[in-house]
Amino acid sequence: MKVHQLFLGVCVVALGACATLDQRPKEQQVQERAQARWDLLLKGDVMGAYEYSSPGTKAVMSQEQFAGSIRLGFWKAVKVEKVVCESETACDAQLLVDYEFRGSPIRTPAKETWVKEGSTWWYLRK
């Protein structure tokens, strides 16, 4: 009976691992993560946005340093318009950023890089 329980446990773990592999196109994965990161910044959740940073970025920039580099309230809206992937592990998210400058609304394009490490896409701060 113990062998059956062990086998069942292994099957459950294996199925769970398969379920966590994201089969969606990489462009869609990056677009959703990039938009989620910006949505957090727009709400003022700097620490939540920091969690989207690549492991390399986190190795050289602490949460406190990241928070100190963010100007909360500057951006009014950000929309990820398109994602272009140059390889299996690197994509550029093309953004439209709305902000206010000297009382005038401004909309400008921007680009950010996302890299894949393991099975997850991460924001690469340059």
Side-chain angles (χ1 to χ4, degrees):
M1 180 129 172
K2 288 186 179 188
V3 172
H4 288 83
Q5 290 173 338
L6 177 62
F7 178 73
L8 180 61
V10 169
C11 288
V12 168
V13 169
L15 286 173
C18 289
T20 62
L21 296 177
D22 196 337
Q23 300 299 316
R24 297 172 301 150
K26 58 187 170 290
E27 293 84 0
Q28 182 181 357
Q29 293 176 48
V30 171
Q31 184 162 2
E32 288 178 9
R33 285 186 59 79
Q35 189 66 61
R37 178 182 166 277
W38 274 105
D39 290 347
L40 289 168
L41 285 170
L42 291 167
K43 289 192 301 188
D45 186 352
V46 176
M47 291 303 109
Y50 177 79
E51 293 305 313
Y52 285 80
S53 298
S54 70
T57 298
K58 289 178 182 176
V60 297
M61 178 177 272
S62 70
Q63 288 181 342
E64 293 76 22
Q65 290 169 319
F66 178 77
S69 72
I70 301 297
R71 289 180 51 195
L72 289 178
F74 177 75
W75 307 286
K76 303 304 177 195
V78 178
K79 183 172 191 311
V80 180
E81 287 286 299
K82 181 179 172 184
V83 172
V84 177
C85 297
E86 298 295 324
S87 70
E88 291 300 311
T89 59
C91 297
D92 288 327
Q94 298 173 4
L95 317 168
L96 277 181
V97 181
D98 292 340
Y99 61 97
E100 197 171 296
F101 181 71
R102 295 185 180 170
S104 298
I106 307 285
R107 174 173 281 167
T108 188
K111 180 174 74 169
E112 59 186 28
T113 301
W114 287 73
V115 294
K116 188 173 187 179
E117 290 192 32
S119 61
T120 304
W121 287 95
W122 303 98
Y123 169 65
L124 181 64
R125 184 163 182 161
K126 294 183 179 181

